Amino acid sequence: MAQNFAHGNYSHTQRKVRNGGGGRTPKDRARRTLSQNFLADRHAVDLMVKAAAPEGLVLEPGAGEGVLTLALAEAGARVVGYEIDPLLAGRLAARTRSDPRIDVVRGDFTAARAPHEPFAVVGNIPYSITSKIVDWCLRAPALTSATLLTQREYARKRSGDYGRWSLVTVESWPWFHWRLGDTIGRESFRPVPSVDSAILRLQRRPEPLVSDRGSYQELVELGFGGVGGSVRASLKTRYEGVDAALKAAGVARDTVVAHVHPDQWIILWGRLCG
């Protein structure tokens, strides 16, 4: 069943479109503008479904041609697929009209209201708006998990696979566990992108690891503020007992902020704010 929602100026698009066709067809140029790279590998689809373990309500950003949509429904989920391309949305809606497990929304996922009931997000998402989709997921109170096929570099950065941790991950760590899943090679997509992808999994924790969001995020944001070049120098501008807290967390005095593991931040919060 198709739904047509007005979502203002939000868009699953890359605003900059290179001049010239370069031999591409109008359809190819439209796919590039909308950052469309469709899954064309059944094994990759199976890996996504396995990682997501879908059940109950699942929202899918960028449903596209519906390959993942149908697989999620077949696995037992009730799927709401969001697709901003009206042609693709219409085709998918017509294809699934008689399937009670699937609804198709013609509109932008990032402008949608989050459901009040527990739900998951699963999608092969456009590289150009990955951060917008992740931010949307982190803000949704009823979200249980997000299983996202993203640019591999992004997935590695957010999951600490480079040995460094980002502010987004550390700030949300008491509420969400981030995990890097399988790599999906670029050859699994049509058209073929210039980089590989990977599955990024966000799982909401049963109970938060800290009792006060405000004081934890204030601590982390100060640490990432860059004062003095080390986490110690940054924290000492506001907190007492920093050296003892660092020792308890196993953090060396000269450690730069990106090398502090999220679990160590939990210990620092407990010592300095808890």
Side-chain angles (χ1 to χ4, degrees), residues 167-168 170-175 210 212-223 238-239 269 273:
L167 173 61
V168 171
V170 173
E171 227 176 6
S172 60
W173 191 260
W175 298 272
V210 302
D212 183 71
R213 182 186 295 267
S215 63
Y216 175 79
Q217 293 184 339
E218 183 179 359
L219 173 76
V220 171
E221 287 170 6
L222 178 64
R238 187 176 305 172
Y239 297 96
W269 174 85
C273 308

Side-chain angles (χ1 to χ4, degrees), residues 3 9 18 22 37-38 52 70 80 93 95 97 105 109 112 123 146 154 191 205 216 221 225 251 256 259 269-270:
Q3 303 175 44
N9 293 325
R18 293 177 183 174
N37 297 97
F38 303 121
L70 292 168
V80 179
R95 183 182 179 187
R97 184 175 293 117
V105 176
F109 171 81
Y154 180 92
R205 301 182 188 278
Y216 175 79
E221 287 170 6
V251 179
V256 297
H259 291 159
W269 174 85

